[in-house]
């Protein structure tokens, strides 16, 4: 009764990123709010202040189920 996983995503804890992680990425696209979009192992990361074509080092500051947010590391 309490041991089932009904309604839960089995991949819930399988994100390839964690808060505080740093990655070198290339910005591939822009989100609707103007944030750059990069991918880490296929996982979407929104990068504030980045433009398409930028190659930047980022630090993850927030992780959600299907995407994350990051800032550029100076």
């Amino acid at each position: 009764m309490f041991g089932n996983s009904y309604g839960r995503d089995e991949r819930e804890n399988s994100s390839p990123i964690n808060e505080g992680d740093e990655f070198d990425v290339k910005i591939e696209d822009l989100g609707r709010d103007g944030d750059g979009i990069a991918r880490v192992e296929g996982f979407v990361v929104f990068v504030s202040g980045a433009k398409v074509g930028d190659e930047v080092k980022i630090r993850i500051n927030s992780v959600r189920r299907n995407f994350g947010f990051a800032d550029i590391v100076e």
Side-chain angles (χ1 to χ4, degrees):
M1 178 167 133
F2 296 107
N4 68 43
S5 61
Y6 297 123
R8 294 187 62 202
D9 183 351
E10 293 299 319
R11 299 179 326 125
E12 188 171 23
N13 295 323
S14 65
S15 165
I17 64 173
N18 295 296
E19 286 184 28
D21 287 352
E22 293 186 1
F23 299 95
D24 292 313
V25 298
K26 183 171 183 177
I27 305 303
E28 302 171 0
D29 206 350
L30 282 182
R32 66 177 162 203
D33 293 332
D35 292 334
I37 297 176
R39 287 183 174 76
V40 175
E41 296 180 28
F43 195 81
V44 172
V45 180
F46 294 95
V47 183
S48 65
K51 298 184 227 88
V52 174
D54 287 353
E55 294 185 18
V56 294
K57 181 179 212 106
I58 60 169
R59 180 177 298 121
I60 306 299
N61 58 33
S62 180
V63 180
R64 303 291 192 268
R65 174 183 273 167
N66 296 316
F67 56 91
F69 295 98
D71 292 316
I72 297 172
V73 178
E74 297 296 324

